[in-house]
Amino acid sequence: MRSFKLVDVFGTRPFSGNPLAVISDAEELSADEMLTVTRWLNLSETTFLLPPTDTTADYRVRIFTPDRELPFAGHPTLGTAHVWLENGGQPKMPGRIVQQCGVGLVPLQHADELAFAAPPLIRSGPVDEADLNDALAVLQIERAAVVEAQWVDNGPGWLGVRLASAEAVRAVKPLGSYHKRMDIGVVGPETGGETDVEIRAIFSDQTLALREDPVTGSLNASVAQWLLGAGLLKAPYVAAQGTCLGRTGRVRVTQDADHIWIGGATRTLFSGETST
């Protein structure tokens, strides 16, 4: 038997963010078994807590979607760190957690809220016209609506599309499916209010159906590198996500001399034990 917890990540209140299942003591599970569990739970991601193999890390995590294993994902990083701490984990360095995952070592701050350091992009730069045309087809928008498009891939494969306003982002009505895998982040500036940008994440599942993720840490991390690097925003700022799904996700982005930090609230809403 193994303990599990269901954690709400990035929400302003319970059940308003992105849910995550965290399975502890997962050393004896194979990758196929982890994928089977993830598919059965049918959340956007499920994570499996393991002892680290790197002596500088506090724990190791494997991150699965119902389709595949990911080298990195944002809300699973915060949610897994939250559970590790609730399970009695003690960081090797006070106030700093080091997670080992597919992209290597990811540092996290542990203060009022957890925040992870945005990992380096593995693909960046302009999007060619063929890929952009695929994104336009999925989003059902015209080329003229796009202010800029960039690859902002830190593991999941994000193609970033910048629109003129948060209102334009919220107005996007994506297709229900597409003939090839697409992972698209859409962002636009907000004027007034408590947030600075609106973000949406549209991605393909294993059947090539298109889904929208409620709140996406990895996308916010890569978009932050894009927008801050181009001077389009200054940190700190707050991103809203999940609005079109009835969620109130809030992602807080800060920056210091070494890292861009992606933070937000984490809450355990359910806990128990597996039967196997």
Side-chain angles (χ1 to χ4, degrees):
M1 298 179 71
R2 299 171 181 84
S3 66
F4 76 90
K5 293 186 178 183
L6 299 182
V7 183
D8 184 272
V9 183
F10 291 125
T12 59
R13 59 185 184 278
F15 305 106
S16 68
N18 201 352
L20 174 74
V22 183
I23 312 297
S24 299
D25 305 314
E27 298 94 304
E28 295 181 4
L29 293 176
S30 68
D32 286 344
E33 288 170 325
M34 292 177 183
L35 184 58
T36 296
V37 170
T38 302
R39 287 175 172 167
W40 185 83
L41 288 167
N42 201 33
L43 298 174
S44 57
E45 281 104 358
T46 295
T47 65
F48 299 84
L49 257 171
L50 302 158
T53 57
D54 187 312
T55 57
T56 61
D58 291 301
Y59 64 85
R60 183 164 64 98
V61 63
R62 296 183 71 173
I63 304 167
F64 285 81
T65 74
D67 181 30
R68 55 185 167 142
E69 184 172 5
L70 296 179
F72 172 78
H75 98 276
T77 292
L78 294 188
T80 302
H82 169 91
V83 170
W84 181 77
L85 289 168
E86 280 199 337
N87 288 351
Q90 295 292 326
K92 292 181 171 70
M93 295 184 292
R96 180 66 61 93
I97 299 167
V98 179
Q99 171 180 286
Q100 182 184 359
C101 59
V103 295
L105 300 180
V106 177
L108 294 98
Q109 292 178 336
H110 179 213
D112 294 336
E113 292 182 335
L114 287 163
F116 66 84
L121 298 181
I122 61 176
R123 186 179 186 183
S124 60
V127 176
D128 65 33
E129 286 300 311
D131 289 319
L132 180 55
N133 286 336
D134 283 327
L136 295 174
V138 166
L139 301 175
Q140 300 194 88
I141 59 175
E142 298 296 325
R143 177 66 178 84
V146 177
V147 177
E148 186 182 8
Q150 288 275 332
W151 287 107
V152 286
D153 182 12
N154 53 11
W158 297 114
L159 186 161
V161 176
R162 184 160 64 92
L163 303 184
S165 67
E167 182 179 6
V169 172
R170 291 188 288 268
V172 168
K173 299 187 183 303
L175 293 174
S177 63
Y178 198 60
H179 63 84
K180 62 188 288 188
R181 175 178 291 279
M182 298 295 295
D183 299 282
I184 306 170
V186 192
V187 59
E190 186 68 85
T191 54
E194 64 177 42
T195 62
D196 300 286
V197 293
E198 183 86 24
I199 286 183
R200 295 176 70 181
I202 312 299
F203 69 96
S204 301
D205 68 13
Q206 65 268 30
T207 69
L208 296 184
L210 289 163
R211 300 173 59 187
E212 181 165 356
D213 198 41
V215 203
T216 317
S218 64
L219 176 60
N220 274 276
S222 58
V223 165
Q225 291 172 80
W226 177 20
L227 299 181
L228 293 173
L232 298 168
L233 273 180
K234 292 183 178 180
Y237 72 84
V238 179
Q241 193 178 348
T243 308
C244 295
L245 300 175
R247 310 287 179 89
T248 52
R250 296 293 182 268
V251 180
R252 280 171 272 282
V253 178
T254 58
Q255 187 173 22
D256 60 25
D258 299 315
H259 299 292
I260 295 170
W261 297 95
I262 309 299
T266 51
R267 299 175 178 87
T268 296
L269 300 184
F270 297 93
S271 61
E273 292 183 335
T274 66
S275 61
T276 59

